[in-house]
Amino acid sequence: MAAVTREFFEGLETRTNAAKLAGLDHSYRFEIEGEGVWNVRIQAGTVVVTEGGEENHADATIRTTGEVFERIVSGEQSPATAYMTGKVKVDGDLGAVMKLQRLFG
């Protein structure tokens, strides 16, 4: 399962569509239980992903399990439903998190 999460983040910079990211200027910290931590910065239509590191000043921190994250990435789980049912925890700017659907399209 960890391979799916790692592949998602490692391929994110090359997989994203700059047009879909236009106007986004946010940073996110993903804490995936049992799998790792990734920081994602979206700015000027580009995505920069870094792994690990200390707690940073991301606009939002998203916490979930590897299993839930894998289901969201595969499209089997709605991110909104996961959040509303407590499977995904968010600290910070919820509005910025709502814009993340552009990455999961």
Side-chain angles (χ1 to χ4, degrees):
M1 187 183 318
V4 171
T5 301
R6 180 167 297 284
E7 287 171 15
F8 174 82
F9 286 107
E10 288 180 352
L12 194 56
E13 293 176 8
T14 57
R15 198 172 57 247
T16 52
N17 179 337
K20 287 184 175 181
L21 301 178
L24 272 184
D25 183 6
H26 293 291
S27 59
Y28 305 92
R29 180 176 175 89
F30 289 84
E31 296 180 358
I32 311 301
E33 187 179 304
E35 300 198 20
V37 174
W38 286 268
N39 300 292
V40 177
R41 176 82 182 130
I42 303 170
Q43 187 174 26
T46 62
V47 176
V48 176
V49 178
T50 55
E51 185 175 355
E54 297 298 312
E55 185 75 36
N56 63 8
H57 297 288
D59 296 324
T61 299
I62 297 106
R63 294 180 182 90
T64 190
T65 64
E67 182 181 342
V68 170
F69 187 78
E70 183 177 331
R71 289 200 313 265
I72 290 170
V73 169
S74 71
E76 295 172 32
Q77 169 76 63
S78 156
T81 302
Y83 172 74
M84 288 186 285
T85 57
K87 293 177 180 169
V88 172
K89 305 273 192 248
V90 174
D91 291 328
D93 185 347
L94 192 54
V97 173
M98 298 304 283
K99 295 175 185 174
L100 270 177
Q101 65 186 346
R102 298 182 197 182
L103 289 180
F104 293 92

